[in-house]
Amino acid sequence: MTAAPRGRGGLADEVCRRIADEIALGLLAPGTRLDEVTLAGRFAVSRTPVREALKQLATMGLVVYRRNRGALVASMTPAELDQMFEAIGELEAACARHAALRLTEPERQRLGELHAQGRLAMQAGDVERYAAVNLELHAAIIAGCHNPALIELTNGLRERVASFRRTQFRHIERIAESYAEHTAIVEAILARDVVTAYREMRSHLLAARNATSRVAPQWATPQSK
Amino acid sequence: MTAAPRGRGGLADEVCRRIADEIALGLLAPGTRLDEVTLAGRFAVSRTPVREALKQLATMGLVVYRRNRGALVASMTPAELDQMFEAIGELEAACARHAALRLTEPERQRLGELHAQGRLAMQAGDVERYAAVNLELHAAIIAGCHNPALIELTNGLRERVASFRRTQFRHIERIAESYAEHTAIVEAILARDVVTAYREMRSHLLAARNATSRVAPQWATPQSK
DNA sequence: AGAAAGCATCTTGTATGCAATATCATCGCT
DNA sequence: AGCGATGATATTGCATACAAGATGCTTTCT
């Protein structure tokens, strides 16, 4: 018996969630080896649920499996990061377009409030708070498409790049840029302007990817120089 | 010992692939109970790799897990099917747009050849062949975006609805419609017309979803009537 | 006779054990 | 001294064993 009577949906899912969180938070850096016995010890379970969790994480793309050689936290080349951001851009832009037409009145209100909170955080120079509000704003738009399949896909992709973009607001001027882009997106959505919402969200994601490159040069796409 | 020394990448992945294939082919109907011991017996392995396979399939969305009650082949309500097709439409349209700009010359040639093969199959009234060519054509366009992340996402979604669209060409007139839509898409891609390629692919997917409804009324979206 | 409770059986969830493969260090050779 | 081979160690992959929960049936009471 393993102490926990039933955390939620079985130990494997619990372990999966906790490892996923640690990866997203950057506690487990890309490339980190995920030893089964170590993890089993850390979570006070046997190897079986850990293995099942790692398999799930591999399917999600958060870890990579090398045959008979164990699991590693997924790492990405700059080119792969570009591709991830491109895919996220396509998906979030689609979400924004649908959100422009489908947002309920309470959701529209909340969108405006979140954007206002972002403005306050920006004016206060509170980087952490702006990052948190940014996350919530994007989540609100994504959820606003009212299509569970799209929502899951988009959030899944965002989770995979989460650890690579934690530093995107390190340069204070990026916050102002981000806020300006958010303004264009939010106004378009509230005006039910599907074309603008789509276009602005796509360019916003491109800008976010470039911001990540500027802050973390090791993830920048090598330019022909 | 289990006879096979190394099918490919471990028994769990092998079992996962085979079950996924059977689901996509409709051999395992939506809602079918997936008993671990039965599957283990069928594939001549123990329950361990079967469980890992089922967990992976659950993460992919091909099966659903009910806590302590086992796995079922995922089934979808008509509304969920609509949402899936909407998501696929967004993704494939994005792929088509990128393909219009990124296709290499050999890829462009192959796209034209595939479309020509579809015309031959249509003229011959060969439904099976048209369905096969249709699959290849879409795969070529998806792969043509040259973005592994987008490709994987799109193919993953397509796999999840595969069993629900196997009958989409049962009405012969749908083949002619499909071919006409393909013509618009292929011509736009070859002309590097990103806007048209995107728009036509989206409407093509909507039409495909409607065709599925017409052929299989049990999956149709209930209309207000 | 119908319904509820209790019991037997089955299935899943987790832990442990064993075999196979990869990793690493040492040793030998050129 | 550098490089390759060989054996020891560690880790993964799979199988089996055991426990907890779910399913279904029988039994019993009203």
Side-chain angles (χ1 to χ4, degrees):
Chain A
M1 74 80 172
T2 58
R6 185 114 305 120
R8 205 141 79 200
L11 294 181
D13 291 326
E14 184 68 20
V15 170
C16 180
R17 266 182 31 74
R18 293 187 55 179
I19 296 176
D21 285 346
E22 295 195 7
I23 292 175
L25 290 173
L27 302 177
L28 290 170
T32 304
R33 191 144 195 312
L34 294 172
D35 183 62
E36 292 180 4
V37 295
T38 304
L39 289 170
R42 229 150 67 67
F43 295 113
V45 298
S46 80
R47 281 177 53 215
T48 307
V50 171
R51 276 185 64 79
E52 291 178 355
L54 289 176
K55 275 263 193 263
Q56 287 186 74
L57 292 165
T59 306
M60 295 183 220
L62 282 171
V63 314
V64 292
Y65 247 94
R66 292 136 62 203
R67 188 181 66 173
N68 287 337
R69 293 207 261 158
L72 270 59
V73 178
S75 53
M76 281 193 281
T77 65
E80 287 170 335
L81 203 51
D82 282 339
Q83 291 159 354
M84 290 293 293
F85 270 87
E86 181 174 277
I88 294 171
E90 299 291 351
L91 284 168
E92 281 207 55
C95 288
R97 170 155 33 74
H98 291 298
L101 296 178
R102 296 179 184 170
L103 241 47
T104 65
E105 204 46 52
E107 286 173 329
R108 299 168 70 82
Q109 281 201 335
R110 173 161 167 75
L111 190 65
E113 287 165 14
L114 281 172
H115 188 50
Q117 284 180 33
R119 178 159 146 272
L120 293 179
M122 172 186 68
Q123 291 172 336
D126 189 338
V127 176
E128 284 304 313
R129 172 130 191 78
Y130 187 85
V133 173
N134 175 64
L135 232 65
E136 282 196 81
L137 185 76
H138 278 271
I141 295 173
I142 293 166
C145 78
H146 293 187
N147 181 331
L150 265 180
I151 295 169
E152 267 186 60
L153 280 180
T154 311
N155 286 332
L157 275 196
R158 285 182 67 90
E159 192 175 16
R160 288 172 63 178
V161 300
S163 70
F164 295 94
R165 56 190 312 190
R166 286 179 310 116
T167 58
Q168 64 178 322
F169 297 124
R170 184 163 299 171
H171 288 338
I172 194 80
E173 65 263 26
R174 174 57 196 151
I175 293 186
E177 291 174 17
S178 167
Y179 177 77
E181 291 155 16
H182 282 186
T183 301
I185 295 167
V186 170
E187 284 182 357
I189 290 175
L190 293 181
R192 297 186 169 83
D193 180 345
V194 292
V195 174
T196 304
Y198 183 85
R199 171 169 33 84
E200 292 299 321
M201 182 59 96
R202 255 172 54 103
S203 78
H204 175 54
L205 265 293
L206 282 180
R209 195 273 176 267
N210 289 333
T212 304
S213 298
R214 285 203 305 268
V215 173
Q218 72 273 23
W219 294 331
T221 307
Q223 302 291 332
S224 59
K225 57 148 195 278
Chain B
M1 79 85 161
T2 58
R6 183 159 317 109
R8 206 139 77 201
L11 292 181
D13 292 326
E14 184 68 20
V15 170
C16 179
R17 275 190 46 73
R18 292 188 57 179
I19 296 176
D21 286 346
E22 295 195 7
I23 292 175
L25 290 172
L27 301 177
L28 291 171
T32 304
R33 197 156 185 330
L34 293 172
D35 182 65
E36 292 180 3
V37 295
T38 304
L39 290 170
R42 229 151 67 67
F43 295 112
V45 297
S46 81
R47 279 177 54 215
T48 306
V50 171
R51 275 185 65 80
E52 291 178 356
L54 288 176
K55 276 261 192 262
Q56 287 185 73
L57 291 165
T59 305
M60 295 184 221
L62 283 170
V63 315
V64 292
Y65 248 91
R66 293 153 6 176
R67 187 177 70 173
N68 288 338
R69 292 208 259 159
L72 270 59
V73 178
S75 53
M76 282 194 280
T77 65
E80 287 169 336
L81 204 50
D82 282 339
Q83 292 160 352
M84 289 294 292
F85 269 87
E86 181 174 276
I88 294 172
E90 299 290 351
L91 284 168
E92 281 207 54
C95 288
R97 170 155 34 75
H98 290 300
L101 295 179
R102 295 178 184 172
L103 241 47
T104 64
E105 204 46 54
E107 287 173 330
R108 298 169 69 83
Q109 280 199 335
R110 172 161 167 76
L111 190 64
E113 287 164 14
L114 280 172
H115 189 48
Q117 285 180 33
R119 178 159 148 271
L120 294 179
M122 172 185 68
Q123 290 172 337
D126 189 337
V127 175
E128 284 304 313
R129 173 132 191 76
Y130 187 85
V133 173
N134 175 65
L135 231 66
E136 282 196 80
L137 185 76
H138 277 271
I141 294 172
I142 293 166
C145 77
H146 293 185
N147 181 331
L150 264 180
I151 295 169
E152 266 186 59
L153 281 180
T154 311
N155 286 331
L157 275 196
R158 284 182 67 89
E159 192 174 18
R160 287 173 63 177
V161 299
S163 71
F164 295 93
R165 58 191 307 191
R166 287 180 310 117
T167 57
Q168 64 176 322
F169 297 125
R170 185 164 297 170
H171 288 337
I172 193 80
E173 64 264 26
R174 174 58 197 150
I175 294 186
E177 290 173 17
S178 167
Y179 177 77
E181 291 156 17
H182 282 187
T183 301
I185 296 167
V186 170
E187 283 181 357
I189 291 176
L190 293 181
R192 297 186 170 81
D193 181 344
V194 291
V195 174
T196 305
Y198 183 85
R199 170 168 36 83
E200 292 298 321
M201 181 60 96
R202 257 175 51 106
S203 79
H204 176 54
L205 265 293
L206 282 180
R209 195 274 176 266
N210 289 333
T212 304
S213 298
R214 286 203 305 269
V215 172
Q218 73 274 22
W219 293 332
T221 307
Q223 301 292 333
S224 59
K225 59 150 193 288

